Amino acid sequence: GWFFPGLTSAPTILLCHGYQSGRGELLTLASALQDHQYNVFLFEFGEHGSNSGYTTLGFRDTQILRAAVNAVAQRKDVDGTRFGLWGSNVGGYAVLAVAESDPRVRAFVVESVYDQPEEMMSILVDRSGLGNIPVMSRFTLLGFRWLNRSFRDRPPVSAGLGKLAGVPKLYMQAVDVPDLAGSTRQLFIQSPEPREQIILPRGNYASMLDDEKRTYENRIVSWNTIGTIPAVN
């Protein structure tokens, strides 16, 4: 991963890229957060960027994010008890799963997120047009479940949302990603306070124009609950 230093002993924000994306596409977002004196850590999930293999759409990605938090927490130049997380679709799923089980996560932002990886698999099939072929969706989903059978007992992230009471959370629902807008909205509704929702005219940070990226960055760094993990205690 790439570590961008902020203030010594400041908390660290981990940025979790989305499906078919990579850490390099989040460099300007990392820079914006670093300018506000946060430490920032960029990494890549397995099967993305320079990594090969097939994606689990969140199952293994959750393990990778948890390992990344643990690794950064060992550094002597950060506060290992305070982390913020940002993630989009696959990354957003991993953010929710880790936040529910790690008290060191003090705040997080998720964009176009879903409740369980099977939902994203079905969406990808529909986006490809294969969903129009009779029984294709069913067979694809069965194959996905078989390949990820070791994770069959993992509950949907909605089952653990109650553990996030007191953790500030920002849900970003993108109008141009309608197939994930509903799940993002539902997870927001089910989440305990404090919570906030923003409706974006356009999601997918990596594909945004420069002006759109700056607006997106400003929304995150000015989010009023970011103050719960200030760069300085």
Side-chain angles (χ1 to χ4, degrees):
W2 297 333
F3 182 79
F4 298 81
L7 288 180
T8 301
S9 300
T12 303
I13 312 295
L14 279 77
L15 302 181
C16 305
H17 64 80
Y19 178 68
Q20 290 189 327
S21 183
R23 59 184 177 179
E25 297 175 339
L26 300 176
L27 284 171
T28 52
L29 180 56
S31 178
L33 289 165
Q34 186 187 33
D35 287 345
H36 283 72
Q37 302 180 325
Y38 291 102
N39 298 294
V40 184
F41 187 67
L42 288 178
F43 65 99
E44 284 180 341
F45 291 121
E47 306 83 45
H48 289 83
S50 59
N51 302 314
S52 60
Y54 68 91
T55 178
T56 63
L57 298 177
F59 288 128
R60 273 201 302 267
D61 311 275
T62 298
Q63 297 174 328
I64 293 170
L65 175 56
R66 188 172 287 116
V69 172
N70 289 334
V72 175
Q74 301 304 310
R75 294 180 65 100
K76 302 301 183 182
D77 54 348
V78 304
D79 184 341
T81 66
R82 294 188 298 154
F83 288 90
L85 305 177
W86 172 93
S88 176
N89 56 68
V90 172
Y93 171 88
V95 164
L96 281 171
V98 170
E100 291 175 351
S101 61
D102 195 331
R104 295 173 297 181
V105 178
R106 304 298 184 89
F108 65 81
V109 180
V110 289
E111 178 201 321
S112 299
V113 68
Y114 49 88
D115 197 15
Q116 48 189 339
E118 288 88 345
E119 290 181 30
M120 187 64 177
M121 185 72 255
S122 295
I123 287 171
L124 292 175
V125 171
D126 288 341
R127 287 180 181 177
S128 70
L130 294 176
N132 297 322
I133 302 175
V135 306
M136 179 59 73
S137 294
R138 175 176 172 78
F139 280 121
T140 302
L141 189 56
L142 287 173
F144 179 77
R145 287 173 176 166
W146 183 83
L147 287 171
N148 295 287
R149 59 194 178 279
S150 61
F151 301 103
R152 62 184 177 276
D153 295 327
R154 182 176 293 183
V157 289
S158 58
L161 290 175
K163 301 175 184 178
L164 296 173
V167 178
K169 38 199 127 10
L170 175 62
Y171 289 85
M172 307 182 85
Q173 180 180 329
V175 173
D176 68 333
V177 191
D179 46 14
L180 287 172
S183 57
T184 304
R185 172 68 177 170
Q186 191 59 36
L187 288 167
F188 164 74
I189 292 172
Q190 293 178 269
S191 292
E193 297 288 350
R195 61 182 183 175
E196 185 176 345
Q197 179 180 235
I198 290 178
I199 307 298
L200 301 171
R202 177 171 172 163
N204 188 5
Y205 178 84
S207 67
M208 290 180 182
L209 301 175
D210 289 343
D211 288 345
E212 293 174 324
K213 285 185 175 181
R214 281 192 288 270
T215 299
Y216 189 98
E217 293 157 6
N218 289 336
R219 285 189 172 187
I220 292 178
V221 299
S222 64
W223 177 38
N224 56 8
T225 44
I226 274 290
T228 60
I229 50 168
V232 182
N233 277 321

